[in-house]
Amino acid sequence: MQSLIDFKNSLNAQQYDAVVSTEGPHLVIAGAGSGKTRVLVYRTAYLVDQGIDPRQILLLTFTRRSANEMLERAASILDERCRNVSGGTFHSFANLILRRYADRMDLSPHFTILDDSDATAIIARLRAAKGLDKADKKFPRKNTVYDIISKSVNKCTDVADIIYDEMPQFEPWIETIEDIKEQYMVQKRQMGVLDFDDLLISLRNLLQTRSDVRQALSQQYRYIMVDEYQDTNRIQAQIVRLLADVHDNVMAVGDDSQSIYSFRGALFKNIIDFPDVFPGTRLIKLEENYRSSQPILDLTNEVVSCAQEKFDKILFTRQEGSRRPVYRDVMNETAQSEYIVSKIREMQSRGTALDDIAVLFRSGWHSNYLEIELSRWGIPFVKYGGQKFVDSAHVRDIVAYLKILQNPSDQTSWMRVLTLMRGIGPKTAAGIAQAAAEAGSCRACGTISVKQASVRRLLEFVSRIDSRTQSPEEILDLTLQFYYPILVDQYDDYDKRGNDLESLQKIVKDYDLLENFLADITLDPPEQSVLKARERGKAQKSLVLSTIHSAKGLEWDTVFLIHLCEGQLPSYRAFDDQGAIEEERRLFYVATTRAKRHLFLLRPQMLPQRGGQGPSASPYTRVSRFLGEGRILDLLVDIEHRRPSIDERPRSGGWHSGRKRDMLTDYFDRTESCLDDW
DNA sequence: TCGATCGGTCATGGA
DNA sequence: GACCGATCGA
């Protein structure tokens, strides 16, 4: 068959090798910007072009967004058949398979998925039920408890191990926490709900224990590709192994230098172990960088070489370019924001499109000031990462109603919905939630007898809905009608919140099953600012603000990296753990490698104090250690600082190429002495 | 039993 | 800003 695509000339030798090697296990080590996405896209197209049924191809990625984008691109270079490829995250894949095989594993096919806040709400109740003594003042909070439990699950280890290793301050309560974990597991089972971790665990168990299912799935998915393999955890690696049971046709793609999810149990050792798990693995290395200019690449190579556990890998490029990355001290967040705005306006006037520029940061709140400044200047932006649209109270309220309608045993959602009512507290709510769960169906809820008229109305409402026959759109409309008076009663800014609920109505139109809508909103929550941007009109291009984590796999012409201070990047939470510092450095690496032509590194000299950081807390910051390592400073330039302004530099001094290191040392010393003075 | 209020403590990343 | 325990009046 003659292909319409010239694969050979669209790819370099290594990429081509990876694309046409369709049989047997392959490990692709792909440096940043080396065209790893391109390989996955072309390989998908190649397989389909070879006549392989797209439904036999499975593409597992880190976010749903990247899976969709890749399939879109594959479809655009080949044809529409590529859209039938199965693509998504491990979690969404698990969701799909578990519903299909629920009957084999003592699980309702209509299970609901717990998001973080549902999960921590359960923990909070269990925690409260323990009735902690006064001596237990320092018992971890619900989020921390959940964190410990989730980590122990993801790392396949004990609660005790996690606490000894990472949070020794909670040692006195190991047993209590283990106990809470136990009860948490039991409650989830009773409620017919799964949390994020359960999705993976249950899928693995299904594949492990049911050889018929394992073989059926392995036959179905003959060609498996896994993106971002360095960020998979142990369970995910096991799932891959089991899925490839009958054919070993797996291509894992990854870059150990970009592993940034160990907080979620990711194990970049999975990459190293891959050849052992899949004997006969062929290793393919992609080392030519197609993204960044040489000066930027020099910097990022230097960052990697400062890493403690490094694998020899130096990227090279043929991209010309002479502009070195810029380092700049700014007085505070306001100055930082003003600097970015002025630069952006300058670049825009030179013809750079707004969506070719990104501002990256370690934590969601780092961009707060900037967002205000951008709004003032009327510069449109979308923000990825941080607080999500679905995290707002009123959206969660609605989702709780829908979850009840989908799964009346979901007591957590009952609790939320019931306590919204005046005069109903935790005690009363728990009783009713219990009764509702026992009733077992929405219809049966109508027969529960209660005193409160408001609750009677709720139960009656629930009993009238049938989530199996009514459309999600219809159900949401009825729910909103019921909820609206409560919204007005609960929140004084109800009109603003009402707008969000309208966005929800727009999203729900795409679904014909409530359970799919609910699964998606939990597994792939829409970003608020993206929704807003969509409403503003598609033609409008927007600046991108993103956490570094959410920027993984993306690239921009110009990148600003902000808040480069000790305590921000690296996060102060990593200070006393070398392994965690290494991960922070990889974050720095991921951030700097996003830039194609222009990279700006910014550091505010002062940040508002955020309490709880000891008596030495001071508004003066110290520059991030990552800028002082190796030859990093020699690779940066501060062209703006030939004439330092009093405004921005409280003390005189400029950055000149020969003396940069000394200047930085001076800077450290001076900031130190400021600390002393404080 | 509910809900309002107050003071102390801590604050990352996201499927 | 949110979370948590404590307290108090209804």
Side-chain angles (χ1 to χ4, degrees):
Chain A
M1 185 171 39
Q2 184 62 43
S3 170
L4 293 168
I5 311 171
D6 185 354
F7 286 97
K8 195 143 205 169
N9 285 314
S10 310
L11 304 158
N12 72 25
Q14 292 75 32
Q15 291 174 337
Y16 181 73
D17 187 11
V19 165
V20 300
S21 304
T22 60
E23 307 299 314
H26 285 82
L27 177 62
V28 178
I29 300 292
S34 63
K36 120 188 122 65
T37 307
R38 192 174 179 80
V39 163
L40 291 170
V41 167
Y42 273 79
R43 194 168 192 265
T44 304
Y46 182 81
L47 288 166
V48 174
D49 194 39
Q50 292 286 302
I52 287 158
D53 183 344
R55 284 164 304 187
Q56 292 199 309
I57 305 170
L58 178 62
L59 175 61
L60 293 171
T61 58
F62 206 71
T63 63
R64 174 114 34 141
R65 177 156 61 117
S66 73
N68 292 344
E69 271 170 28
M70 283 190 225
L71 298 185
E72 191 96 354
R73 274 176 64 186
S76 75
I77 60 171
L78 187 67
D79 56 48
E80 292 301 307
R81 282 176 295 168
C82 294
R83 290 184 202 277
N84 294 326
V85 168
S86 313
T89 61
F90 277 89
H91 291 86
S92 64
F93 179 67
N95 175 53
L96 190 79
I97 300 298
L98 290 173
R99 285 189 204 278
R100 191 190 298 166
Y101 292 101
D103 56 328
R104 318 267 178 114
M105 45 190 323
D106 188 26
L107 181 72
S108 158
H110 306 296
F111 64 83
T112 41
I113 301 168
L114 287 185
D115 61 29
D116 273 5
S117 60
D118 297 332
T120 50
I122 297 178
I123 306 277
R125 269 188 288 144
L126 293 171
R127 189 179 179 280
K130 295 254 163 225
L132 301 161
D133 294 329
K134 276 175 221 150
D136 286 353
K137 272 234 163 69
K138 292 187 140 182
F139 189 83
R141 338 180 122 200
K142 56 178 186 166
N143 283 305
T144 315
V145 175
Y146 179 55
D147 218 42
I148 294 168
I149 293 175
S150 175
K151 255 191 187 151
S152 74
V153 172
N154 278 302
K155 293 193 169 177
C156 308
T157 172
D158 294 337
V159 163
D161 289 333
I162 301 293
I163 291 179
Y164 284 130
D165 283 0
E166 299 182 35
M167 313 176 201
Q169 70 273 32
F170 300 133
E171 266 178 44
W173 298 287
I174 288 178
E175 273 181 35
T176 319
I177 298 170
E178 275 170 345
D179 206 35
I180 291 179
K181 176 180 174 182
E182 202 54 45
Q183 292 178 17
Y184 172 62
M185 299 294 170
V186 172
Q187 294 221 339
K188 283 186 298 185
R189 213 164 305 134
Q190 285 171 352
M191 294 184 217
V193 298
L194 299 183
D195 65 16
F196 287 118
D197 303 331
D198 292 328
L199 288 169
L200 299 182
I201 296 276
S202 306
L203 175 59
R204 186 210 46 199
N205 292 349
L206 173 70
L207 292 167
Q208 225 161 37
T209 56
R210 304 294 304 242
S211 61
D212 54 329
V213 176
R214 177 171 72 240
Q215 285 183 12
L217 287 171
S218 193
Q219 305 275 7
Q220 181 184 350
Y221 299 108
R222 299 284 311 184
Y223 298 91
I224 300 173
M225 289 176 268
V226 189
D227 193 13
E228 311 279 11
Y229 200 71
Q230 76 282 355
D231 282 323
T232 55
N233 64 26
R234 222 166 130 160
I235 305 157
Q236 289 166 318
Q238 291 170 337
I239 289 172
V240 171
R241 175 59 274 189
L242 291 160
L243 275 175
D245 193 34
V246 305
H247 49 66
D248 271 10
N249 282 336
V250 177
M251 175 170 281
V253 182
D255 176 4
D256 48 272
S257 309
Q258 294 187 61
S259 165
I260 53 175
Y261 278 90
S262 73
F263 73 92
R264 227 168 65 188
L267 214 60
F268 66 77
K269 216 168 132 298
N270 279 345
I271 289 200
I272 299 154
D273 292 344
F274 188 86
D276 297 332
V277 179
F278 290 94
T281 292
R282 273 191 68 221
L283 180 70
I284 300 173
K285 279 191 177 184
L286 306 181
E287 288 181 305
E288 175 161 4
N289 177 294
Y290 291 92
R291 180 182 295 153
S292 307
S293 67
Q294 191 62 52
I296 293 177
L297 209 54
D298 288 341
L299 175 75
T300 61
N301 278 333
E302 184 67 14
V303 174
V304 166
S305 77
C306 292
Q308 297 236 316
E309 306 180 64
K310 54 178 174 251
F311 298 83
D312 287 330
K313 177 173 34 187
I314 293 294
L315 293 170
F316 67 98
T317 182
R318 296 170 217 209
Q319 317 276 311
E320 294 299 318
S322 55
R323 300 204 52 164
R324 285 205 217 170
V326 173
Y327 172 82
R328 174 116 165 152
D329 263 346
V330 287
M331 189 160 90
N332 52 26
E333 286 194 273
T334 314
Q336 180 173 258
S337 304
E338 284 166 359
Y339 180 79
I340 292 173
V341 168
S342 73
K343 274 285 157 204
I344 286 175
R345 291 164 60 82
E346 189 185 321
M347 312 211 82
Q348 272 187 297
S349 71
R350 287 205 218 127
T352 306
L354 211 44
D355 61 349
D356 251 338
I357 308 174
V359 181
L360 306 183
F361 35 84
R362 175 68 175 89
S363 311
W365 56 268
H366 287 171
S367 67
N368 288 354
Y369 255 84
L370 178 61
E371 288 170 45
I372 296 167
E373 194 73 9
L374 290 169
S375 304
R376 189 178 304 156
W377 282 91
I379 299 175
F381 62 88
V382 286
K383 181 174 175 180
Y384 294 96
Q387 173 97 8
K388 294 278 188 336
F389 164 71
V390 291
D391 291 333
S392 50
H394 49 295
V395 175
R396 296 224 319 262
D397 291 344
I398 290 296
V399 170
Y401 282 103
L402 299 179
K403 282 185 171 172
I404 288 170
L405 298 170
Q406 158 77 14
N407 172 15
S409 308
D410 186 339
Q411 290 189 48
T412 314
S413 298
W414 273 113
M415 289 296 287
R416 180 174 188 100
V417 163
L418 286 163
T419 49
L420 278 173
M421 240 75 87
R422 287 221 171 256
I424 309 292
K427 206 82 185 179
T428 318
I432 301 168
Q434 179 79 32
E438 278 160 14
S441 74
C442 292
R443 185 166 296 275
C445 288
T447 63
I448 299 168
S449 69
V450 284
K451 285 183 291 214
Q452 299 86 344
S454 60
V455 180
R456 265 207 302 281
R457 276 199 299 279
L458 170 68
L459 292 171
E460 199 182 302
F461 162 72
V462 169
S463 69
R464 280 201 312 268
I465 305 250
D466 182 351
S467 66
R468 311 284 181 265
T469 59
Q470 285 169 281
S471 76
E473 191 181 350
E474 197 180 340
I475 296 173
L476 179 62
D477 280 344
L478 292 169
T479 306
L480 286 174
Q481 278 173 34
F482 181 85
Y483 176 67
Y484 195 70
I486 298 171
L487 176 82
V488 175
D489 181 53
Q490 290 274 329
Y491 309 100
D492 30 6
D493 55 345
Y494 57 88
D495 47 343
K496 218 174 179 180
R497 292 173 186 263
N499 290 337
D500 286 343
L501 301 180
E502 281 170 29
S503 328
L504 216 50
Q505 282 178 299
K506 279 176 197 149
I507 303 172
V508 83
K509 285 195 203 316
D510 296 336
Y511 293 87
D512 45 15
L513 263 184
L514 186 63
E515 68 186 35
N516 292 343
F517 172 69
L518 283 173
D520 275 7
I521 213 148
T522 318
L523 295 176
D524 186 23
E527 307 273 349
Q528 179 151 40
S529 66
V530 175
L531 291 175
K532 273 192 208 142
R534 202 182 301 161
E535 272 159 35
R536 265 202 316 262
K538 245 190 154 93
Q540 175 98 284
K541 291 193 166 166
S542 303
L543 171 72
V544 173
L545 310 186
S546 176
T547 59
I548 300 172
H549 283 93
S550 302
K552 194 165 75 153
L554 304 173
E555 60 179 28
W556 294 271
D557 176 85
T558 301
V559 168
F560 295 88
L561 183 52
I562 62 176
H563 274 73
L564 283 172
C565 325
E566 283 289 285
Q568 312 305 328
L569 184 69
S571 161
Y572 77 93
R573 316 223 344 172
F575 278 173
D576 41 12
D577 177 353
Q578 188 55 37
I581 289 289
E582 291 300 310
E583 179 144 318
E584 299 287 311
R585 190 201 321 281
R586 290 193 294 272
L587 269 169
F588 182 54
Y589 178 69
V590 168
T592 50
T593 51
R594 299 307 97 196
K596 291 198 245 182
R597 289 171 48 224
H598 302 287
L599 175 61
F600 295 91
L601 308 177
L602 302 178
R603 172 250 178 168
Q605 294 165 337
M606 277 193 277
L607 284 177
Q609 282 167 274
R610 286 163 79 80
Q613 285 177 44
S616 66
S618 142
Y620 290 92
T621 67
R622 294 170 52 183
V623 72
S624 167
R625 67 187 73 184
F626 300 138
L627 289 170
E629 293 176 328
R631 295 170 45 242
I632 301 268
L633 281 178
D634 299 330
L635 302 170
L636 298 170
V637 66
D638 188 350
I639 50 170
E640 323 280 335
H641 262 161
R642 278 185 220 116
R643 276 192 308 131
S645 82
I646 302 293
D647 240 39
E648 286 161 348
R649 300 287 305 250
R651 303 210 191 168
S652 65
W655 298 76
H656 300 287
S657 51
R659 285 206 58 226
K660 267 187 298 219
R661 188 182 302 270
D662 293 339
M663 291 308 302
L664 190 70
T665 322
D666 290 347
Y667 225 79
F668 268 121
D669 293 348
R670 204 180 75 221
T671 329
E672 292 283 30
S673 63
C674 286
L675 280 173
D676 293 342
D677 292 345
W678 197 253

